[in-house]
Amino acid sequence: TCITEQARFQKVCLDADVLELCIKNRADIRNDREDNSTKTFRKAAYRQFILDKYGYLGKGRRKVAPSCVVWCVRHHYPSSTGLYMGFRSH
């Protein structure tokens, strides 16, 4: 089965309450303004997936999320414009 159908993925990567807490935590650590836009929720969902799958990677080390994860996250937290950034290697 696809990872997006697993209960853990649904809870860790898509649950709005979990993602909101992740966003607050990241904003606190980075001393940033808290942003609860769907774009921020998408980024938090991708970070959660990568953290859950690979653990902490460190600055500048990135992994690509599978397309099924990307499509699932975009479905749950869509862009109002229909435009998405995509993966950036650096």
Side-chain angles (χ1 to χ4, degrees):
T1 62
C2 180
I3 187 124
T4 62
E5 296 172 8
Q6 295 178 3
R8 182 174 177 86
F9 177 85
Q10 300 283 322
K11 181 172 36 176
V12 171
C13 301
L14 297 180
D15 185 273
D17 291 332
V18 171
L19 296 179
E20 186 176 343
L21 185 58
C22 293
I23 292 165
K24 284 181 181 182
N25 186 44
R26 186 170 173 87
D28 183 50
I29 290 170
R30 296 172 56 114
N31 200 24
D32 287 342
R33 225 177 19 121
E34 190 179 323
D35 176 6
N36 286 329
S37 66
T38 55
K39 177 181 178 181
T40 304
F41 271 76
R42 279 193 308 278
K43 286 184 172 188
Y46 299 139
R47 278 194 305 271
Q48 286 289 97
F49 172 76
I50 297 299
L51 180 63
D52 190 43
K53 182 163 175 70
Y54 300 105
Y56 178 72
L57 298 178
K59 186 175 181 177
R61 296 187 62 214
R62 296 172 180 231
K63 296 280 188 182
V64 178
S67 61
C68 62
V69 169
V70 173
W71 287 111
C72 184
V73 169
R74 287 180 180 179
H75 173 76
H76 278 81
Y77 300 103
S79 167
S80 60
T81 63
L83 300 174
Y84 298 92
M85 180 186 306
F87 179 79
R88 292 189 302 180
S89 58
H90 292 2

Coordinates of all heavy atoms in Angstrom, one line a residue:
T1 N 0.8 -1.2 0.0 CA 0.0 0.0 0.0 C 0.9 1.3 0.0 O 2.0 1.2 0.4 CB -0.9 0.0 1.2 OG1 -0.1 0.1 2.4 CG2 -1.9 -1.2 1.3
C2 N 0.3 2.3 -0.5 CA 1.0 3.6 -0.5 C 1.2 4.2 0.9 O 0.3 4.0 1.7 CB 0.2 4.6 -1.4 SG 1.0 6.2 -1.5
I3 N 2.3 4.8 1.1 CA 2.6 5.4 2.4 C 1.5 6.4 2.8 O 1.2 6.5 4.0 CB 4.0 6.0 2.5 CG1 4.3 6.5 3.9 CG2 4.0 7.2 1.6 CD1 5.6 5.9 4.4
T4 N 0.9 7.1 1.9 CA -0.1 8.1 2.2 C -1.4 7.5 2.8 O -2.2 8.2 3.4 CB -0.5 8.9 1.0 OG1 -1.0 8.1 0.0 CG2 0.7 9.7 0.5
E5 N -1.6 6.2 2.6 CA -2.8 5.5 3.1 C -2.6 5.0 4.5 O -3.5 4.5 5.2 CB -3.2 4.3 2.2 CG -3.6 4.8 0.8 CD -3.8 3.7 -0.2 OE1 -3.7 2.5 0.2 OE2 -4.0 4.0 -1.3
Q6 N -1.3 5.0 5.0 CA -1.0 4.5 6.4 C -1.5 5.5 7.4 O -1.4 6.8 7.3 CB 0.5 4.3 6.5 CG 0.9 3.1 5.6 CD 2.4 2.9 5.7 OE1 3.1 3.5 6.5 NE2 2.9 1.9 4.9
A7 N -2.0 5.0 8.6 CA -2.5 5.9 9.6 C -1.4 6.8 10.2 O -1.7 8.0 10.5 CB -3.0 5.0 10.8
R8 N -0.2 6.3 10.3 CA 0.9 7.2 10.8 C 1.1 8.4 9.9 O 1.3 9.5 10.4 CB 2.2 6.4 10.9 CG 3.3 7.2 11.5 CD 4.5 6.3 11.8 NE 5.6 7.1 12.3 CZ 5.8 7.4 13.5 NH1 5.0 7.0 14.4 NH2 6.9 8.2 13.9
F9 N 1.1 8.2 8.6 CA 1.3 9.3 7.7 C 0.1 10.3 7.9 O 0.3 11.5 7.9 CB 1.3 8.9 6.2 CG 1.4 10.0 5.2 CD1 2.6 10.5 4.9 CD2 0.2 10.5 4.7 CE1 2.7 11.6 4.0 CE2 0.3 11.6 3.8 CZ 1.5 12.1 3.4
Q10 N -1.1 9.8 7.9 CA -2.3 10.7 8.1 C -2.1 11.5 9.4 O -2.4 12.7 9.4 CB -3.5 9.8 8.2 CG -3.8 9.0 6.9 CD -4.4 9.8 5.8 OE1 -5.1 10.7 6.0 NE2 -3.9 9.5 4.6
K11 N -1.7 10.9 10.4 CA -1.6 11.6 11.7 C -0.4 12.6 11.8 O -0.5 13.7 12.2 CB -1.5 10.6 12.8 CG -1.4 11.2 14.2 CD -1.4 10.1 15.3 CE -0.7 8.8 15.0 NZ -0.7 7.9 16.2
V12 N 0.8 12.1 11.3 CA 2.0 12.9 11.5 C 2.1 14.0 10.4 O 2.6 15.0 10.7 CB 3.2 11.9 11.4 CG1 4.5 12.7 11.3 CG2 3.2 11.0 12.6
C13 N 1.6 13.7 9.2 CA 1.9 14.6 8.1 C 0.7 15.4 7.6 O 0.8 16.4 6.9 CB 2.4 13.8 6.9 SG 4.0 12.9 7.3
L14 N -0.5 15.0 8.0 CA -1.7 15.7 7.4 C -2.6 16.3 8.5 O -3.4 17.2 8.2 CB -2.6 14.7 6.6 CG -1.9 14.2 5.3 CD1 -2.9 13.2 4.6 CD2 -1.4 15.3 4.4
D15 N -2.5 15.8 9.8 CA -3.3 16.4 10.8 C -3.0 17.8 11.1 O -1.9 18.2 11.4 CB -3.1 15.6 12.1 CG -4.0 16.0 13.2 OD1 -3.7 16.9 13.9 OD2 -5.1 15.4 13.3
A16 N -4.0 18.7 10.9 CA -3.8 20.1 11.1 C -3.3 20.5 12.4 O -2.5 21.5 12.6 CB -5.2 20.9 10.8
D17 N -3.8 19.9 13.5 CA -3.3 20.2 14.9 C -1.8 19.9 15.0 O -1.1 20.7 15.6 CB -4.1 19.4 15.9 CG -5.5 19.9 16.0 OD1 -5.8 21.1 15.7 OD2 -6.4 19.1 16.4
V18 N -1.4 18.8 14.5 CA 0.0 18.4 14.6 C 0.9 19.4 13.8 O 1.9 19.9 14.2 CB 0.2 16.9 14.0 CG1 1.7 16.6 13.9 CG2 -0.4 15.9 15.0
L19 N 0.4 19.7 12.6 CA 1.2 20.6 11.7 C 1.2 22.0 12.3 O 2.3 22.7 12.3 CB 0.6 20.7 10.3 CG 0.7 19.4 9.5 CD1 0.1 19.5 8.2 CD2 2.1 18.9 9.4
E20 N 0.1 22.4 12.9 CA 0.1 23.8 13.6 C 1.1 23.8 14.7 O 1.9 24.8 14.8 CB -1.3 24.1 14.1 CG -1.4 25.5 14.6 CD -2.8 25.8 15.1 OE1 -3.8 25.1 14.7 OE2 -2.9 26.8 15.8
L21 N 1.2 22.8 15.5 CA 2.2 22.7 16.5 C 3.7 22.7 16.0 O 4.5 23.4 16.5 CB 2.0 21.5 17.4 CG 2.9 21.3 18.6 CD1 2.7 22.5 19.5 CD2 2.6 20.0 19.3
C22 N 3.9 22.0 14.9 CA 5.2 22.0 14.2 C 5.5 23.4 13.7 O 6.7 23.9 13.8 CB 5.2 21.1 13.0 SG 5.0 19.4 13.5
I23 N 4.5 24.1 13.2 CA 4.8 25.5 12.7 C 5.1 26.4 13.8 O 6.0 27.2 13.7 CB 3.5 26.0 11.9 CG1 3.4 25.2 10.6 CG2 3.6 27.5 11.6 CD1 2.0 25.3 9.9
K24 N 4.4 26.3 14.9 CA 4.7 27.1 16.1 C 6.1 26.8 16.7 O 6.8 27.7 17.0 CB 3.7 26.8 17.2 CG 2.3 27.5 17.0 CD 1.4 27.1 18.2 CE 0.0 27.8 17.9 NZ -0.9 27.5 19.0
N25 N 6.4 25.6 16.7 CA 7.7 25.2 17.2 C 8.8 25.7 16.3 O 9.8 26.3 16.8 CB 7.8 23.6 17.3 CG 9.1 23.2 17.9 OD1 9.6 23.7 18.9 ND2 9.7 22.2 17.3
R26 N 8.7 25.6 15.0 CA 9.7 26.1 14.1 C 9.8 27.6 14.2 O 10.9 28.2 14.2 CB 9.4 25.7 12.7 CG 10.4 26.0 11.6 CD 10.1 25.3 10.3 NE 11.0 25.7 9.3 CZ 12.2 25.2 9.0 NH1 12.6 24.2 9.7 NH2 12.9 25.6 8.0
A27 N 8.7 28.3 14.3 CA 8.7 29.8 14.4 C 9.4 30.2 15.7 O 10.1 31.2 15.7 CB 7.3 30.3 14.3
D28 N 9.2 29.5 16.8 CA 9.8 29.8 18.0 C 11.3 29.6 18.0 O 12.1 30.4 18.4 CB 9.2 28.9 19.1 CG 9.7 29.2 20.5 OD1 9.7 30.4 20.9 OD2 10.1 28.3 21.2
I29 N 11.7 28.5 17.4 CA 13.2 28.2 17.3 C 13.9 29.2 16.4 O 14.9 29.7 16.8 CB 13.4 26.7 16.8 CG1 13.0 25.7 17.8 CG2 14.8 26.5 16.4 CD1 12.9 24.3 17.3
R30 N 13.2 29.5 15.3 CA 13.9 30.4 14.4 C 13.6 31.9 14.7 O 14.0 32.8 14.0 CB 13.4 30.1 13.0 CG 13.8 28.7 12.5 CD 13.2 28.3 11.2 NE 13.5 29.3 10.2 CZ 14.2 29.1 9.1 NH1 14.7 27.9 8.9 NH2 14.4 30.0 8.2
N31 N 12.8 32.1 15.7 CA 12.4 33.5 16.1 C 11.7 34.2 14.9 O 11.9 35.3 14.6 CB 13.6 34.3 16.5 CG 13.1 35.5 17.4 OD1 12.0 35.5 17.9 ND2 13.9 36.5 17.4
D32 N 10.8 33.4 14.2 CA 10.1 33.9 13.0 C 8.7 34.3 13.5 O 8.2 33.8 14.5 CB 10.0 32.8 11.9 CG 11.3 32.6 11.2 OD1 12.1 33.5 11.3 OD2 11.4 31.6 10.6
R33 N 8.0 35.0 12.6 CA 6.6 35.2 12.8 C 5.8 34.0 12.5 O 6.2 33.3 11.5 CB 6.1 36.3 11.8 CG 5.3 37.4 12.3 CD 5.0 38.4 11.3 NE 5.2 38.0 9.9 CZ 4.3 37.9 9.0 NH1 3.2 38.4 9.2 NH2 4.6 37.5 7.8
E34 N 4.8 33.6 13.2 CA 4.0 32.4 13.0 C 3.1 32.7 11.7 O 2.5 33.7 11.6 CB 3.2 32.1 14.2 CG 2.5 30.8 14.1 CD 1.7 30.4 15.3 OE1 2.1 30.8 16.4 OE2 0.6 29.8 15.1
D35 N 3.1 31.7 10.8 CA 2.4 31.9 9.6 C 1.5 30.6 9.4 O 2.1 29.5 9.4 CB 3.3 32.0 8.4 CG 2.7 32.0 7.0 OD1 1.4 32.1 7.0 OD2 3.4 32.1 6.0
N36 N 0.2 30.7 9.4 CA -0.6 29.5 9.2 C -1.3 29.5 7.9 O -2.4 29.0 7.8 CB -1.7 29.5 10.3 CG -1.1 29.2 11.7 OD1 -0.1 28.4 11.7 ND2 -1.6 29.7 12.7
S37 N -0.6 29.9 6.8 CA -1.1 29.7 5.5 C -1.1 28.3 5.0 O -0.3 27.5 5.6 CB -0.3 30.6 4.5 OG 1.0 30.1 4.4
T38 N -1.8 28.0 4.0 CA -1.8 26.6 3.4 C -0.4 26.3 2.9 O 0.1 25.1 3.0 CB -2.8 26.4 2.3 OG1 -2.6 27.3 1.3 CG2 -4.2 26.4 2.9
K39 N 0.4 27.3 2.4 CA 1.7 27.1 2.0 C 2.6 26.6 3.1 O 3.4 25.6 3.0 CB 2.3 28.3 1.4 CG 3.7 28.2 0.9 CD 4.2 29.6 0.4 CE 5.7 29.5 0.0 NZ 6.2 30.8 -0.5
T40 N 2.4 27.2 4.3 CA 3.2 26.8 5.5 C 2.8 25.4 5.9 O 3.7 24.6 6.3 CB 3.0 27.9 6.6 OG1 3.4 29.1 6.1 CG2 3.9 27.6 7.8
F41 N 1.5 25.1 5.8 CA 1.1 23.8 6.2 C 1.7 22.7 5.3 O 2.1 21.6 5.7 CB -0.5 23.7 6.2 CG -1.1 24.1 7.6 CD1 -1.1 25.4 8.0 CD2 -1.5 23.1 8.4 CE1 -1.7 25.7 9.2 CE2 -2.1 23.4 9.6 CZ -2.1 24.7 10.0
R42 N 1.7 23.0 4.0 CA 2.3 22.1 3.0 C 3.8 21.9 3.4 O 4.3 20.7 3.4 CB 2.2 22.6 1.6 CG 0.9 22.4 0.9 CD 1.0 22.6 -0.6 NE 1.5 23.9 -1.0 CZ 0.8 25.1 -1.0 NH1 -0.4 25.1 -0.6 NH2 1.4 26.2 -1.4
K43 N 4.5 22.9 3.6 CA 6.0 22.8 3.9 C 6.2 22.0 5.2 O 7.0 21.2 5.3 CB 6.6 24.2 4.1 CG 6.8 24.9 2.8 CD 7.6 26.2 3.0 CE 8.0 26.8 1.7 NZ 8.9 27.9 1.9
A44 N 5.3 22.2 6.2 CA 5.4 21.5 7.5 C 5.1 20.0 7.2 O 5.8 19.2 7.8 CB 4.4 22.1 8.5
A45 N 4.1 19.7 6.4 CA 3.8 18.3 6.1 C 5.0 17.6 5.4 O 5.3 16.5 5.8 CB 2.6 18.3 5.2
Y46 N 5.6 18.3 4.5 CA 6.8 17.7 3.8 C 7.9 17.5 4.8 O 8.6 16.4 4.8 CB 7.3 18.6 2.7 CG 6.3 18.8 1.6 CD1 6.2 20.0 1.0 CD2 5.5 17.8 1.1 CE1 5.3 20.2 -0.1 CE2 4.6 18.0 0.0 CZ 4.5 19.2 -0.5 OH 3.6 19.4 -1.5
R47 N 8.2 18.5 5.7 CA 9.2 18.3 6.7 C 8.9 17.2 7.6 O 9.8 16.4 8.0 CB 9.3 19.6 7.5 CG 10.2 20.7 6.9 CD 10.6 21.8 7.8 NE 9.4 22.4 8.5 CZ 8.8 23.5 8.0 NH1 9.1 24.0 6.8 NH2 7.8 24.0 8.7
Q48 N 7.7 17.0 8.0 CA 7.3 15.9 8.9 C 7.5 14.6 8.2 O 8.0 13.7 8.9 CB 5.8 16.1 9.3 CG 5.5 17.1 10.3 CD 6.0 16.8 11.6 OE1 7.0 17.2 12.0 NE2 5.2 16.0 12.4
F49 N 7.2 14.5 7.0 CA 7.4 13.2 6.2 C 8.9 12.9 6.2 O 9.3 11.7 6.5 CB 6.8 13.3 4.8 CG 7.2 12.1 4.0 CD1 6.6 10.9 4.2 CD2 8.2 12.2 3.1 CE1 6.9 9.8 3.5 CE2 8.6 11.1 2.3 CZ 8.0 9.9 2.5
I50 N 9.7 13.8 5.8 CA 11.1 13.6 5.7 C 11.7 13.3 7.1 O 12.5 12.3 7.2 CB 11.8 14.8 5.0 CG1 11.4 15.0 3.6 CG2 13.4 14.6 5.1 CD1 11.6 13.9 2.6
L51 N 11.3 14.0 8.1 CA 11.8 13.7 9.4 C 11.4 12.3 9.9 O 12.2 11.6 10.4 CB 11.3 14.8 10.4 CG 11.7 14.6 11.9 CD1 13.2 14.8 12.0 CD2 11.0 15.6 12.7
D52 N 10.2 11.9 9.6 CA 9.7 10.6 10.0 C 10.4 9.5 9.3 O 10.8 8.5 9.9 CB 8.2 10.5 9.8 CG 7.6 9.3 10.5 OD1 8.0 9.0 11.6 OD2 6.7 8.7 9.8
K53 N 10.7 9.7 8.0 CA 11.3 8.7 7.2 C 12.8 8.6 7.4 O 13.4 7.5 7.4 CB 10.9 8.9 5.7 CG 11.5 7.8 4.8 CD 10.8 7.9 3.5 CE 11.4 6.9 2.5 NZ 11.2 5.5 2.8
Y54 N 13.5 9.8 7.4 CA 14.9 9.8 7.4 C 15.6 10.3 8.7 O 16.8 10.1 8.9 CB 15.5 10.7 6.3 CG 15.0 10.2 4.9 CD1 14.0 10.9 4.2 CD2 15.6 9.1 4.3 CE1 13.6 10.5 3.0 CE2 15.2 8.7 3.0 CZ 14.2 9.4 2.4 OH 13.8 9.0 1.1
G55 N 14.8 10.9 9.6 CA 15.4 11.5 10.8 C 15.9 12.9 10.4 O 15.8 13.4 9.3
Y56 N 16.6 13.5 11.4 CA 17.1 14.8 11.2 C 18.2 14.8 10.2 O 19.2 14.0 10.3 CB 17.6 15.4 12.5 CG 18.2 16.8 12.4 CD1 17.4 17.9 12.1 CD2 19.6 16.9 12.5 CE1 18.0 19.1 11.9 CE2 20.1 18.2 12.3 CZ 19.3 19.3 12.1 OH 19.9 20.5 11.9
L57 N 18.2 15.6 9.1 CA 19.2 15.6 8.1 C 20.3 16.6 8.2 O 21.4 16.5 7.7 CB 18.6 15.7 6.7 CG 17.6 14.7 6.3 CD1 17.0 15.0 4.9 CD2 18.3 13.3 6.2
G58 N 20.0 17.7 8.9 CA 20.9 18.8 9.0 C 20.8 19.8 7.9 O 20.1 19.6 6.9
K59 N 21.4 21.0 8.1 CA 21.3 22.1 7.2 C 21.8 21.7 5.8 O 22.9 21.2 5.7 CB 22.0 23.3 7.7 CG 21.8 24.5 6.9 CD 22.5 25.7 7.6 CE 22.3 27.0 6.7 NZ 22.8 28.2 7.3
G60 N 21.0 22.0 4.8 CA 21.5 21.9 3.4 C 21.3 20.4 2.9 O 21.6 20.2 1.7
R61 N 21.0 19.5 3.7 CA 20.8 18.1 3.3 C 19.3 17.9 3.0 O 18.5 18.0 4.0 CB 21.4 17.1 4.3 CG 22.9 17.3 4.5 CD 23.4 16.2 5.4 NE 23.2 14.9 4.7 CZ 23.0 13.8 5.4 NH1 22.9 13.8 6.8 NH2 22.8 12.6 4.8
R62 N 19.0 17.6 1.8 CA 17.6 17.4 1.5 C 17.3 16.1 0.8 O 18.2 15.5 0.3 CB 17.1 18.6 0.5 CG 17.3 19.9 1.1 CD 17.0 21.0 0.1 NE 17.1 22.3 0.7 CZ 16.2 23.2 0.6 NH1 15.2 23.0 -0.1 NH2 16.4 24.4 1.2
K63 N 16.1 15.7 1.0 CA 15.6 14.5 0.3 C 14.3 14.8 -0.5 O 13.6 15.7 -0.1 CB 15.2 13.4 1.3 CG 16.4 12.9 2.1 CD 17.2 11.9 1.3 CE 18.3 11.3 2.2 NZ 19.1 10.3 1.5
V64 N 14.0 14.1 -1.5 CA 12.8 14.3 -2.3 C 11.7 13.4 -1.8 O 11.9 12.2 -1.5 CB 13.1 14.0 -3.8 CG1 11.9 14.1 -4.6 CG2 14.2 14.8 -4.4
A65 N 10.6 14.0 -1.6 CA 9.4 13.2 -1.1 C 8.8 12.6 -2.4 O 8.8 13.1 -3.5 CB 8.3 14.2 -0.5
P66 N 8.3 11.3 -2.2 CA 7.7 10.6 -3.4 C 6.5 11.4 -3.9 O 5.8 12.2 -3.2 CB 7.2 9.3 -2.8 CG 8.0 9.1 -1.5 CD 8.3 10.5 -1.0
S67 N 6.2 11.3 -5.2 CA 5.2 12.0 -5.8 C 3.8 11.8 -5.2 O 3.0 12.7 -5.1 CB 5.1 11.8 -7.3 OG 4.8 10.4 -7.6
C68 N 3.6 10.6 -4.7 CA 2.3 10.3 -4.0 C 2.1 11.2 -2.8 O 1.0 11.6 -2.5 CB 2.1 8.8 -3.7 SG 3.3 8.1 -2.6
V69 N 3.2 11.4 -2.1 CA 3.2 12.2 -0.9 C 2.9 13.7 -1.3 O 2.1 14.4 -0.7 CB 4.5 12.1 -0.1 CG1 4.6 13.2 1.0 CG2 4.7 10.7 0.5
V70 N 3.6 14.1 -2.3 CA 3.4 15.5 -2.8 C 2.0 15.7 -3.2 O 1.3 16.7 -2.8 CB 4.4 15.8 -3.9 CG1 4.1 17.2 -4.6 CG2 5.8 15.8 -3.5
W71 N 1.4 14.8 -4.0 CA 0.0 15.0 -4.4 C -1.0 14.9 -3.3 O -1.9 15.7 -3.2 CB -0.3 13.9 -5.5 CG 0.4 14.2 -6.8 CD1 1.4 13.5 -7.4 CD2 0.1 15.4 -7.7 NE1 1.7 14.1 -8.5 CE2 1.0 15.3 -8.8 CE3 -0.8 16.4 -7.6 CZ2 1.0 16.2 -9.8 CZ3 -0.8 17.3 -8.7 CH2 0.1 17.2 -9.7
C72 N -0.7 14.1 -2.3 CA -1.6 14.0 -1.2 C -1.6 15.2 -0.3 O -2.6 15.8 0.1 CB -1.2 12.7 -0.3 SG -2.3 12.4 1.1
V73 N -0.4 15.8 -0.1 CA -0.2 17.0 0.7 C -0.9 18.2 -0.1 O -1.6 19.0 0.5 CB 1.2 17.3 1.0 CG1 1.4 18.7 1.6 CG2 1.8 16.2 2.0
R74 N -0.7 18.2 -1.4 CA -1.3 19.3 -2.2 C -2.8 19.2 -2.2 O -3.5 20.2 -2.2 CB -0.8 19.3 -3.6 CG 0.7 19.8 -3.7 CD 1.1 19.7 -5.2 NE 2.5 20.2 -5.3 CZ 3.2 20.2 -6.4 NH1 2.6 19.8 -7.5 NH2 4.4 20.7 -6.4
H75 N -3.3 18.0 -2.1 CA -4.8 17.8 -2.1 C -5.3 18.3 -0.8 O -6.4 18.9 -0.7 CB -5.1 16.3 -2.3 CG -6.5 16.0 -2.1 ND1 -7.5 16.3 -3.0 CD2 -7.2 15.4 -1.1 CE1 -8.7 15.9 -2.6 NE2 -8.5 15.4 -1.4
H76 N -4.6 18.0 0.3 CA -5.1 18.4 1.7 C -4.9 19.9 1.9 O -5.7 20.5 2.7 CB -4.5 17.6 2.8 CG -5.1 16.3 2.9 ND1 -4.9 15.2 2.1 CD2 -6.0 15.9 3.8 CE1 -5.6 14.2 2.5 NE2 -6.3 14.5 3.6
Y77 N -3.8 20.5 1.4 CA -3.5 21.9 1.6 C -3.2 22.5 0.3 O -2.0 22.9 0.0 CB -2.3 22.0 2.6 CG -2.6 21.4 3.9 CD1 -2.1 20.1 4.3 CD2 -3.5 22.0 4.8 CE1 -2.5 19.5 5.5 CE2 -3.8 21.4 6.0 CZ -3.3 20.2 6.4 OH -3.6 19.6 7.6
P78 N -4.2 22.8 -0.5 CA -4.0 23.3 -1.9 C -3.6 24.8 -1.9 O -4.0 25.6 -1.0 CB -5.4 23.1 -2.5 CG -6.4 23.2 -1.4 CD -5.6 22.6 -0.2
S79 N -2.9 25.1 -3.0 CA -2.6 26.5 -3.2 C -3.8 27.2 -3.8 O -4.5 26.7 -4.6 CB -1.4 26.6 -4.3 OG -1.3 27.9 -4.7
S80 N -4.0 28.4 -3.3 CA -5.2 29.2 -3.8 C -5.0 29.6 -5.3 O -5.9 29.8 -6.0 CB -5.4 30.5 -3.0 OG -4.2 31.3 -3.0
T81 N -3.7 29.7 -5.8 CA -3.4 30.0 -7.1 C -3.2 28.8 -8.0 O -3.2 29.0 -9.3 CB -2.1 30.9 -7.2 OG1 -1.0 30.1 -6.8 CG2 -2.3 32.1 -6.4
G82 N -3.1 27.6 -7.5 CA -2.8 26.5 -8.2 C -1.3 26.3 -8.6 O -0.9 25.4 -9.3
L83 N -0.5 27.2 -8.1 CA 1.0 27.2 -8.4 C 1.7 26.7 -7.2 O 1.4 27.0 -6.1 CB 1.5 28.6 -8.8 CG 0.9 29.2 -10.0 CD1 1.4 30.7 -10.1 CD2 1.2 28.4 -11.2
Y84 N 2.7 25.8 -7.5 CA 3.5 25.2 -6.4 C 5.0 25.4 -6.7 O 5.4 25.4 -7.8 CB 3.2 23.7 -6.2 CG 1.7 23.5 -5.9 CD1 0.7 23.3 -6.9 CD2 1.3 23.5 -4.5 CE1 -0.6 23.1 -6.5 CE2 0.0 23.3 -4.2 CZ -0.9 23.1 -5.2 OH -2.3 22.9 -4.8
M85 N 5.8 25.5 -5.6 CA 7.2 25.7 -5.8 C 8.0 24.5 -6.3 O 8.8 24.7 -7.2 CB 7.8 26.1 -4.4 CG 9.3 26.4 -4.4 SD 10.0 26.6 -2.8 CE 9.0 27.9 -2.1
G86 N 7.6 23.4 -5.9 CA 8.4 22.2 -6.3 C 9.7 22.0 -5.5 O 10.0 22.9 -4.6
F87 N 10.4 21.0 -5.7 CA 11.6 20.7 -4.9 C 12.7 21.5 -5.4 O 13.0 21.7 -6.6 CB 12.0 19.2 -5.1 CG 13.3 18.8 -4.4 CD1 13.2 18.6 -3.0 CD2 14.4 18.7 -5.1 CE1 14.4 18.2 -2.4 CE2 15.6 18.3 -4.4 CZ 15.6 18.1 -3.1
R88 N 13.4 22.1 -4.5 CA 14.7 22.9 -4.8 C 15.8 22.2 -4.1 O 15.8 22.0 -2.9 CB 14.6 24.3 -4.3 CG 13.5 25.1 -5.0 CD 13.6 26.6 -4.7 NE 13.4 26.8 -3.2 CZ 13.4 28.0 -2.7 NH1 13.6 29.0 -3.4 NH2 13.2 28.1 -1.4
S89 N 16.9 21.9 -4.9 CA 18.0 21.2 -4.3 C 18.8 22.0 -3.3 O 19.4 21.5 -2.4 CB 18.9 20.6 -5.4 OG 19.3 21.7 -6.2
H90 N 18.8 23.3 -3.5 CA 19.6 24.2 -2.5 C 18.8 25.4 -2.2 O 18.1 26.0 -2.8 CB 20.9 24.6 -3.1 CG 21.9 23.5 -3.2 ND1 21.6 22.2 -2.9 CD2 23.1 23.4 -3.6 CE1 22.7 21.4 -3.1 NE2 23.6 22.1 -3.5

